[in-house]
Amino acid sequence: MKPVWETLNPKLFKPYDEVWSVEDHQRYQLILDYPVGKIIKLLHSSYNRLFNSEGLFNPYLGKDKIENIKDRWTVDLPIDPPLLFWDYSTKSTMIENGIHRIDYAIELRTTHLPILIPRIDYAIFCLME
């Protein structure tokens, strides 16, 4: 099994819109091939308990969400990319939506994945090492 991502018409928040709106295009940027290791490196320390050696057995992860992702990817149905943003006060990355998707992609040994970010954060995500 491999992750399948909705990159043509990703949804941002519930209630999910039917289409990727003009406003969404203006406010958010999709980066198609972002290194997972870079995401983990840039994450705020509060995420350490979620991305650890326990993987999918981590008690902090919702098992129902993981099962839903597994069910979709098993039959090649796409899932929206995670939505991340840069927190200027902590100088670290935060996850607005997609913790379980990232964790399951890591479990599948994915090295790169698409991410959605606010356009204002584009330079930070592209230039930050």
Side-chain angles (χ1 to χ4, degrees):
M1 177 182 353
K2 65 180 177 99
V4 181
W5 301 102
E6 176 56 68
T7 56
L8 295 177
N9 189 27
K11 313 299 185 290
L12 295 172
F13 303 105
K14 291 182 180 178
Y16 298 121
D17 296 325
E18 289 298 316
V19 297
W20 180 241
S21 72
V22 171
E23 182 181 326
D24 292 336
H25 276 294
Q26 292 171 347
R27 294 180 60 206
Y28 296 95
Q29 173 73 41
L30 177 67
I31 301 176
L32 289 173
D33 198 30
Y34 203 79
V36 173
K38 193 171 178 181
I39 293 171
I40 301 302
K41 180 181 175 184
L42 295 174
L43 279 175
H44 186 267
S45 61
S46 63
Y47 292 97
N48 290 350
R49 68 175 196 227
L50 294 173
F51 300 103
N52 59 36
S53 61
E54 293 175 308
L56 297 179
F57 297 104
N58 187 326
Y60 293 107
L61 294 173
K63 302 303 178 217
D64 56 333
K65 289 185 178 186
I66 295 292
E67 283 302 313
N68 287 338
I69 295 167
K70 181 180 178 183
D71 291 345
R72 290 185 65 85
W73 283 346
T74 297
V75 294
D76 292 328
L77 288 175
I79 296 178
D80 298 319
L83 174 60
L84 292 83
F85 68 95
W86 184 253
D87 184 332
Y88 290 87
S89 64
T90 63
K91 295 182 177 41
S92 59
T93 298
M94 304 297 280
I95 303 171
E96 177 76 24
N97 193 347
I99 291 170
H100 295 81
R101 286 169 262 168
I102 294 171
D103 199 68
Y104 198 56
I106 290 170
E107 188 73 18
L108 294 175
R109 302 192 191 295
T110 301
T111 59
H112 291 74
L113 53 87
I115 60 170
L116 286 166
I117 59 169
R119 282 192 183 273
I120 194 169
D121 296 339
Y122 184 78
I124 292 170
F125 278 88
C126 290
L127 301 175
M128 186 75 63
E129 290 299 323

